[in-house]
């Protein structure tokens, strides 16, 4: 007789990744709940999305991140909590929300797995980077420390680069669509490799971990072999798919960082987040799995992930 599937609560279930996590959880047979927050009751887009998720089989639990008791009551109804709240806010607000979730899980005392809102390049490896991205990594590690101190079983997901933000635009700044003028900017020499992962695959791998003892208190790295690509690789694949040839111009590391001058906080974060990806050999130059790390594609070879070429075909 098959073991009973864990009940999953997704916080931020109407967000960019959150809605994918909800659907992946339902596909894998988990009773899946979305926190219905009163602060979103006047957002028509979120309400409509909640109704669509309901059609897929999701259920709602009322609760507020600003009401500890309601959050504890919500958490007590499930076995697993996944936080998909935005973690890209470098202010202390995002960190405070995550710490409120940790406090509620600790007080509830029943959660057998918590997946915090990281879903990026492993922050443990980038706490000495450039500001303001460094601050975000430090905040994420503060949350992880709180989880460990509260003795909450957890899995951190190192999702690397969301494909939607890097692949269709060939890593260009200022647009998420393919360049239309047959010109592309190359960061450095364009040879630094990064890992690009389809957002639906991120959700699939994440949900795979929740009943897997091999991933408890570990960091799962999403590293699809065919998606470990350089910017030059992405451009070449796109040229092959479209039959076009692109004129390439180089942006030095110094000029790339200079884009921050006078830019808003979002641009500054993006630049300092992307700099180690494209320059100084890329963040994969000396990357090795450590104790406490797991490779998702090796743990779950049954997952047929989307390759960058398949991702780009959508835009041809």
């Amino acid at each position: 007789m098959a073991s009973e599937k864990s009940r999953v609560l997704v916080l931020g279930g109407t967000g960019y990744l959150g809605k994918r996590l909800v659907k992946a959880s339902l596909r894998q047979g988990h009773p899946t709940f979305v926190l219905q927050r009163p602060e979103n009751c006047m957002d028509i887009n979120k309400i409509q999305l909640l109704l669509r998720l309901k059609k897929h089989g999701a259920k709602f639990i009322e609760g507020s991140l600003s009401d500890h008791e309601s959050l504890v009551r919500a958490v007590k109804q499930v076995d697993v909590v996944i936080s998909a709240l935005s973690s890209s806010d470098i202010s202390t607000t995002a960190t405070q929300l995550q710490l409120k979730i940790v406090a509620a899980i600790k007080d509830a005392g029943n959660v057998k797995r918590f997946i915090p809102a990281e879903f990026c390049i492993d922050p443990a490896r980038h706490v000495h980077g450039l500001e303001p991205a460094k601050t975000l990594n430090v905040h994420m590690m503060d949350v992880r420390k709180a989880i460990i101190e509260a003795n909450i079983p957890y899995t951190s997901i190192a999702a690397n680069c969301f494909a939607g933000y890097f692949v269709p635009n060939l890593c260009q700044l200022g647009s998420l669509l393919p360049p239309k003028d047959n010109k592309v900017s190359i960061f450095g020499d364009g040879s630094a490799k990064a890992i690009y992962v389809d957002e639906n695959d991120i959700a699939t791998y994440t949900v795979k971990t929740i009943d897997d003892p091999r991933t408890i208190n570990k960091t799962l790295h999403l590293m699809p072999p065919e998606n470990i690509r350089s910017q030059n690789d992405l451009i070449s694949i796109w040229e092959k798919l479209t039959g076009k040839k692109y004129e390439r111009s180089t942006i030095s590391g110094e000029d790339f960082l200079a884009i921050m001058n006078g830019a808003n906080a979002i641009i500054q974060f993006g630049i300092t987040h992307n700099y180690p990806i494209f320059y100084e050999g890329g963040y994969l130059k000396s990357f090795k799995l450590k104790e406490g790390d797991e490779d998702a594609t090796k743990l779950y070879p049954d997952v047929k992930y989307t390759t960058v070429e398949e991702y780009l075909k959508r835009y041809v």
Side-chain angles (χ1 to χ4, degrees), residues 36-290:
Q36 185 174 337
R37 295 183 277 164
E39 52 264 43
N40 293 333
C41 68
M42 289 300 292
D43 188 324
I44 188 63
N45 291 320
K46 290 184 183 296
I47 291 171
Q48 293 298 322
L49 180 52
L50 283 170
L51 292 173
R52 289 196 293 273
L53 292 174
K54 182 180 178 182
K55 282 187 176 181
H56 284 279
K59 299 177 182 178
F60 305 147
I61 298 178
E62 292 188 359
S64 173
L65 297 174
S66 60
D67 182 344
H68 179 73
E69 294 305 320
S70 75
L71 197 54
V72 171
R73 286 195 298 271
V75 168
K76 282 186 175 181
Q77 299 180 54
V78 299
D79 307 299
V80 174
V81 176
I82 303 176
S83 176
L85 299 173
S86 175
S87 60
S88 61
D89 182 357
I90 63 172
S91 72
T92 59
T93 304
T95 305
Q96 290 168 349
L97 289 178
Q98 298 298 326
L99 292 175
K100 286 180 179 181
I101 296 167
V102 173
I105 292 172
K106 180 181 178 181
D107 286 354
N110 63 295
V111 170
K112 66 179 187 180
R113 189 76 61 103
F114 175 44
I115 299 177
E118 293 182 9
F119 300 107
C120 58
I121 297 170
D122 185 7
R125 298 170 184 260
H126 295 279
V127 293
H128 304 295
L130 298 171
E131 291 288 11
K134 173 183 175 181
T135 295
L136 177 61
N137 291 323
V138 170
H139 286 171
M140 287 185 180
M141 291 308 298
D142 288 342
V143 174
R144 196 184 292 186
K145 180 182 177 183
I147 295 168
I148 294 170
E149 289 178 347
N151 200 30
I152 297 170
Y154 74 95
T155 301
S156 294
I157 307 295
N160 291 297
C161 299
F162 281 28
Y165 286 91
F166 290 90
V167 174
N169 59 0
L170 310 179
C171 303
Q172 302 301 289
L173 302 175
S175 175
L176 296 177
L177 293 173
K180 293 185 178 181
D181 57 3
N182 291 6
K183 295 180 180 180
V184 288
S185 297
I186 302 294
F187 304 128
D189 62 6
S191 66
K193 292 186 181 294
I195 308 173
Y196 304 103
V197 189
D198 178 289
E199 292 83 348
N200 290 317
D201 294 339
I202 293 172
T204 296
Y205 282 121
T206 298
V207 175
K208 282 273 189 181
T209 70
I210 61 180
D211 284 327
D212 188 348
R214 298 173 298 175
T215 59
I216 198 163
N217 297 337
K218 292 185 177 181
T219 298
L220 184 76
H221 292 263
L222 310 191
M223 308 172 65
E226 291 186 59
N227 291 3
I228 302 176
R229 299 282 190 165
S230 68
Q231 188 186 12
N232 287 332
D233 291 336
L234 294 181
I235 295 168
S236 295
I237 292 170
W238 182 247
E239 288 178 331
K240 182 180 178 181
L241 289 172
T242 61
K244 298 178 181 178
K245 200 69 180 174
Y246 279 71
E247 179 184 335
R248 309 182 188 201
S249 59
T250 299
I251 297 179
S252 68
E254 182 179 353
D255 288 340
F256 187 77
L257 291 176
I259 297 172
M260 290 196 298
N261 296 336
N264 62 37
I266 295 175
I267 297 297
Q268 291 185 9
F269 168 75
I271 293 297
T272 54
H273 177 271
N274 291 351
Y275 184 81
I277 296 174
F278 297 119
Y279 293 96
E280 299 178 348
Y283 72 96
L284 290 177
K285 182 179 180 181
S286 57
F287 179 89
K288 291 182 180 179
L289 291 176
K290 305 175 184 177

